[in-house]
Amino acid sequence: MGDKEALRVGSAVRRRRRALDLTLAAVAGRSGLSVPFLSQIENERARPSMRSLHRVADALETTAAELLAAADSCRVVDVVRADDAALAARPGVRHLVRGHHQLHAVEFTGSRTPAASTSTATTS
């Protein structure tokens, strides 16, 4: 998996917990982790260590590997400044917001060509 993509294991934890009809308090009791920490994991506000993930998985009667396999991938959004005139005139770029704003929301359609990928600067 690349630098721009991370797994969002929280949604997999929540789905599994709900499938077993367990409360956060029940999972906390089984795993030895706190309810607030489990809530943060489910809401993608905390990323559990592998040790914590194994404890959660045991509490949910599954494995850490299965939770990771069921995790959603998270995609990073690149920000393009409104004054990037070179980008505005390109084919395959659709503006999502009209008017003059500090930032413009645009959608890239089609495939990325090598020439386009080397001339467009993005921020992380």
Side-chain angles (χ1 to χ4, degrees):
M1 196 155 303
D3 291 339
K4 289 197 166 206
E5 220 173 294
L7 290 178
R8 300 180 69 194
V9 73
S11 58
V13 169
R14 176 178 282 138
R15 284 191 301 269
R16 180 66 181 168
R17 178 179 63 81
R18 288 181 175 171
L20 294 173
D21 200 29
L22 295 173
T23 63
L24 282 172
V27 176
R30 291 178 173 194
S31 66
L33 300 171
S34 70
V35 171
F37 180 60
L38 292 170
S39 176
Q40 289 174 349
I41 291 171
E42 286 191 359
N43 291 304
E44 307 298 344
R45 295 179 188 267
R47 292 168 105 186
S49 66
M50 283 307 293
R51 182 171 184 233
S52 294
L53 187 60
H54 281 286
R55 291 168 71 178
V56 171
D58 289 343
L60 296 174
E61 302 167 2
T62 188
T63 64
E66 287 181 11
L67 288 175
L68 289 170
D72 299 330
S73 62
C74 174
R75 296 189 182 176
V76 175
V77 176
D78 291 323
V79 176
V80 179
R81 301 276 173 214
D83 60 352
D84 191 353
L87 184 63
R90 289 197 173 178
V93 176
R94 182 173 72 97
H95 292 275
L96 300 176
V97 179
R98 288 188 165 81
H100 290 85
H101 305 279
Q102 185 178 4
L103 297 175
H104 283 255
V106 293
E107 176 182 39
F108 297 93
T109 58
S111 62
R112 195 173 207 188
T113 62
S117 64
T118 57
S119 63
T120 303
T122 58
T123 59
S124 298

